Amino acid sequence: MSGQLTVRPVTRQDYEQWLPLWDGYNAFYGRSGPTALAGEITQMTWSRFFDAYEPMHALVAEREGKLLGLVHYLYHRSTTAIAPNCYLQDLFTSQDARGQGVGRALIEAVYQRAREAGSGRVYWLTHETNHTAMQLYDKVGEKSGFVVYRKMF
C-alpha cells in the first residue's frame, strides 16, 4: 500500500469504518453470529470513547482515508503503583493490512500515550493460539509469566 500510515484518536465520523474492524476483532474471538455481542454493548463501547469521564480510549490507524486497524485501551489504578496502569484491551488490523506495521504502530501509539499519562506499565492479553500476533508481541513487549484465571457470571 502506498501513502503514509497515521495513528490518531478515533472520531465520531469514523463509526462506519470502525464498526467492521470491531466486528472483525470480535469474530476472531468467536463473538459473531449467534454468539455476537449484543448491539447495546457495541453502542456503549463506542460512546465511552467520547465520554471525558471514562478511562477508555480508542485509536485508529489510517492510510489515505481508510481505517486499517484499531486499538482500545484504558487506565486503572493498582495496589502496587501510584501511577495508573494502562491495559491495552483490543487490537485488530484488517486482513489486507497485516504484515505492514499497522499493529506495531498502534501498540507504539498506546505506549506513547501511556508515557504521557504518567503510566509505568502497558499490558495486554492474547489467546494462547494467537501465534501470528505473538510474533509481534514478542518483539514489542515481554511475557509476564502470569496465568489468567476467570469466572464468568
Side-chain angles (χ1 to χ4, degrees):
M1 283 189 161
S2 61
Q4 184 169 336
L5 183 69
T6 301
V7 176
R8 60 171 176 76
V10 72
T11 68
R12 291 185 190 279
Q13 292 75 29
D14 291 324
Y15 183 77
E16 294 301 319
Q17 288 194 68
W18 170 87
L19 186 58
L21 294 168
W22 174 242
D23 288 343
Y25 171 79
N26 283 299
F28 179 82
Y29 283 107
R31 297 183 296 262
S32 64
T35 59
L37 288 179
E40 53 267 17
I41 294 174
T42 292
Q43 289 306 311
M44 179 59 75
T45 297
W46 179 254
S47 71
R48 286 176 174 159
F49 302 143
F50 305 102
D51 183 340
Y53 293 103
E54 286 284 347
M56 190 171 287
H57 307 277
L59 303 173
V60 290
E62 176 182 46
R63 181 179 287 133
E64 297 180 349
K66 181 178 180 190
L67 298 190
L68 304 175
L70 60 77
V71 65
H72 305 148
Y73 62 100
L74 58 97
Y75 296 103
H76 67 86
R77 300 193 188 286
S78 169
T79 60
T80 60
I82 294 172
N85 285 321
C86 180
Y87 175 52
L88 190 160
Q89 186 166 14
D90 311 315
L91 176 68
F92 186 77
T93 62
S94 63
Q95 184 68 36
D96 58 337
R98 297 207 178 129
Q100 298 177 26
V102 175
R104 179 186 292 267
L106 288 163
I107 292 169
E108 293 291 341
V110 172
Y111 287 170
Q112 180 61 37
R113 281 157 179 83
R115 279 190 289 274
E116 291 168 0
S119 181
R121 177 174 80 153
V122 174
Y123 71 102
W124 63 94
L125 309 171
T126 195
H127 195 270
E128 64 188 7
T129 61
N130 195 357
H131 300 291
T132 301
M134 286 190 279
Q135 291 176 5
L136 170 61
Y137 301 162
D138 287 342
K139 295 174 185 166
V140 299
E142 58 187 51
K143 291 181 183 172
S144 68
F146 282 88
V147 176
V148 175
Y149 290 86
R150 69 179 183 186
K151 177 151 179 75
M152 303 296 283
F153 295 103

